[in-house]
Amino acid sequence: MASVIVKELEANDLKVQNERLKAKVDALMQSLQQYEAGASGKAASTAVQRTKIEEMSSEVIDTNPYSRLMALKRMGIVDNYENIRKHTVIIVGIGGIGSVAAEMLTRCGIGKLILFDYDTVELANMNRLFFQPHQAGMTKTNAAKQTLENINPDVVFEAYNYDITTAENFEHFLDRVSNGGLGNDVPVNLVLSCVDNYAARLSINQACNELNQVWMESGVSEDAVSGHIQTLLPGRTACFQCVPPLIVASGIDEKTLKREGVCAASLPTTMGIVAGMLVQNVLKYLLEFGQTSYYLGYNAMNNFFPSHVVRPNDDCVSRACKLRQAEYKGENAWSPHVWQSPEELARIGNEITHEDNEWGIECEEDTMATQAAEEVAEVATGLKFSYERAVPASASSNAGDLVQTDENQSLDDLMAQLEGLGQK
């Protein structure tokens, strides 16, 4: 009994220490914001910060930050746009794609964002969108949280600065996926992979296969002119290890591929395009409108946008993936969703009739085609019918009217027979 009390006291003490540390961090962040505002020549007190909004409104006024988003509902694109506030999304990797995706979701009014990254902001990142020079040296998660909270205080944020590929951190990552949603210990709605390495993708893949968690993967090529997004449904579409890149399939340590003084190219345009495609896909999936992209590529060189569905591999090396595949066999077999417009759905099952059309057009039987079918066409010399030729009734004659010929008869005899027919 005493040991239990001691453990409870220790737990409470750790909780108190954690709260104190959090308070110190918040105070430091506030001081930093004041310093940055002073350095820019603007007093911190003059910065515009709006108050939180409890419910989304479709009222068209200049002070409503959601009026243009709610217009999607008014125009019939989305049934209930306000449901966006019920959803939680995890973003792993707050870099060129992840930071822009986080800003887009924040501006769209997502309910909660959980951010993961272990890197810091550098001046070398300024060729990309989102981060600013004065944030150099800050962790990407804290810098993103600071900016995003100022953009939309209605969104709930969690930020974790660590590498998810380590054993200890992976367990915590699993916990946030399964318990990080809005409410009491509920799963998140979606996980976004915006990382630049395969090790992190494998960790996300393993976690989502284990938890049957839908996730979306994204990436930009090393030459910065192509990219892709992909929706991964455990057991239904291919996981990251079903069709792995060559480096993953070969078991090569990707760290050995990096060359000193050489870095991958990076274009804010390509990353912005891929981030836009990713968040557009997130909104369609969460709010259930339009066609969700299972795989959508982009090649800037020839403006190519390939799109297809990648099926799971029965011989996938991931045991968790195979277990999920077994859940969607037989009667539970999955088929890709195909979006149809309301106009198309309205036409399905409706018999097409012409009697009541507004132009008064009627369809009659094609008598000319019927007559043509009854007529026997002449066949050119050297050709013959492949079926027995029908003789029209009008062409029939009595046997007595037929001229009997014999090859041994002369021409005079034949002429006499013809004259005899003419006299009848």
Side-chain angles (χ1 to χ4, degrees):
M1 184 66 180
S3 61
V4 173
I5 295 175
V6 171
K7 289 182 179 179
E8 290 179 354
L9 290 173
E10 290 177 349
N12 290 334
D13 185 56
L14 288 174
K15 186 177 180 180
V16 171
Q17 291 182 20
N18 185 48
E19 291 298 329
R20 288 176 178 173
L21 288 173
K22 187 176 182 301
K24 289 182 179 180
V25 170
D26 290 340
L28 288 171
M29 291 297 295
Q30 186 176 3
S31 299
L32 179 61
Q33 289 177 341
Q34 292 175 348
Y35 172 80
E36 290 168 351
S40 62
K42 180 192 291 185
S45 58
T46 63
V48 178
Q49 292 182 340
R50 72 169 177 85
T51 57
K52 291 186 177 183
I53 298 174
E54 295 299 326
E55 294 183 5
M56 282 189 174
S57 170
S58 58
E59 187 178 7
V60 183
I61 54 176
D62 293 340
T63 56
N64 180 12
Y66 298 118
S67 60
R68 287 169 174 79
L69 295 169
M70 292 293 283
L72 292 170
K73 179 179 178 180
R74 188 170 60 254
M75 295 178 179
I77 303 298
V78 183
D79 291 334
N80 294 292
Y81 187 87
E82 58 269 22
N83 287 345
I84 192 70
R85 302 187 77 171
K86 300 178 181 179
H87 296 299
T88 300
V89 175
I90 284 179
I91 302 181
V92 185
I94 314 301
I97 297 176
S99 60
V100 179
E103 180 177 350
M104 288 180 175
L105 286 172
T106 299
R107 294 184 183 277
C108 286
I110 193 73
K112 183 178 180 180
L113 277 181
I114 305 178
L115 312 176
F116 288 88
D117 202 301
Y118 64 87
D119 207 356
T120 57
V121 180
E122 300 172 352
L123 289 177
N125 302 139
M126 293 305 113
N127 68 304
R128 304 172 180 176
L129 303 176
F130 188 74
F131 291 116
Q132 301 177 48
H134 65 78
Q135 293 176 320
M138 296 179 64
T139 63
K140 288 183 176 179
T141 50
N142 284 340
K145 186 170 180 286
Q146 176 194 66
T147 301
L148 298 175
E149 283 179 334
N150 188 52
I151 292 173
N152 190 346
D154 300 330
V155 181
V156 179
F157 294 97
E158 287 184 22
Y160 298 99
N161 180 237
Y162 64 65
D163 183 356
I164 68 168
T165 63
T166 65
E168 181 181 355
N169 292 337
F170 180 75
E171 291 300 322
H172 183 263
F173 176 69
L174 278 175
D175 174 74
R176 299 323 296 146
V177 174
S178 55
N179 299 304
L182 285 169
N184 297 320
D185 299 329
V186 296
V188 301
N189 299 99
L190 199 59
V191 175
L192 304 184
S193 169
C194 304
V195 297
D196 60 357
N197 64 87
Y198 295 121
R201 287 184 175 97
L202 289 172
S203 295
I204 298 169
N205 185 70
Q206 179 64 27
C208 292
N209 278 338
E210 287 184 16
L211 300 173
N212 198 19
Q213 172 65 55
V214 177
W215 63 293
M216 294 183 184
E217 194 262 336
S218 64
V220 172
S221 63
E222 193 174 20
D223 60 7
V225 292
S226 62
H228 74 278
I229 64 168
Q230 184 174 358
T231 302
L232 297 100
L233 310 174
R236 289 152 283 179
T237 63
C239 81
F240 187 72
Q241 290 179 280
C242 281
V243 190
L246 179 61
I247 296 175
V248 176
S250 303
I252 300 173
D253 185 356
E254 61 182 311
K255 294 179 182 179
T256 62
L257 301 177
K258 293 185 178 181
R259 293 167 290 174
E260 187 68 27
V262 178
C263 66
S266 175
L267 277 175
T269 49
T270 308
M271 291 188 172
I273 290 170
V274 174
M277 295 194 306
L278 177 63
V279 175
Q280 190 85 301
N281 212 37
V282 170
L283 295 177
K284 289 191 291 183
Y285 174 80
L286 294 179
L287 298 178
E288 300 179 346
F289 71 95
Q291 176 65 61
T292 300
S293 299
Y294 294 103
Y295 177 92
L296 179 61
Y298 167 64
N299 190 317
M301 304 303 283
N302 57 3
N303 301 315
F304 183 45
F305 288 86
S307 177
H308 54 266
V309 180
V310 185
R311 294 286 189 167
N313 179 8
D314 293 337
D315 298 322
C316 180
V317 297
S318 171
R319 180 174 177 273
C321 177
K322 286 185 176 181
L323 291 175
R324 294 300 172 194
Q325 289 183 44
E327 297 175 2
Y328 296 95
K329 300 290 186 182
E331 295 181 356
N332 296 326
W334 174 83
S335 59
H337 168 257
V338 178
W339 179 77
Q340 292 177 301
S341 68
E343 293 76 16
E344 289 176 310
L345 293 173
R347 287 195 297 267
I348 294 177
N350 293 334
E351 183 179 356
I352 299 176
T353 59
H354 300 283
E355 289 79 10
D356 300 327
N357 64 78
E358 58 182 302
W359 301 281
I361 299 174
E362 297 181 2
C363 293
E364 297 182 354
E365 184 180 359
D366 192 349
T367 56
M368 294 183 63
T370 305
Q371 293 175 358
E374 293 176 352
E375 296 177 356
V376 180
E378 294 297 331
V379 179
T381 305
L383 299 179
K384 63 179 181 179
F385 286 103
S386 61
Y387 52 88
E388 186 178 353
R389 180 175 178 177
V391 180
S394 60
S396 62
S397 303
N398 293 328
D401 295 336
L402 296 178
V403 177
Q404 302 293 331
T405 62
D406 187 349
E407 293 181 356
N408 296 323
Q409 290 179 320
S410 64
L411 181 60
D412 293 336
D413 294 335
L414 292 175
M415 291 295 295
Q417 290 185 30
L418 289 173
E419 291 175 358
L421 290 175
Q423 295 175 356
K424 288 183 179 180

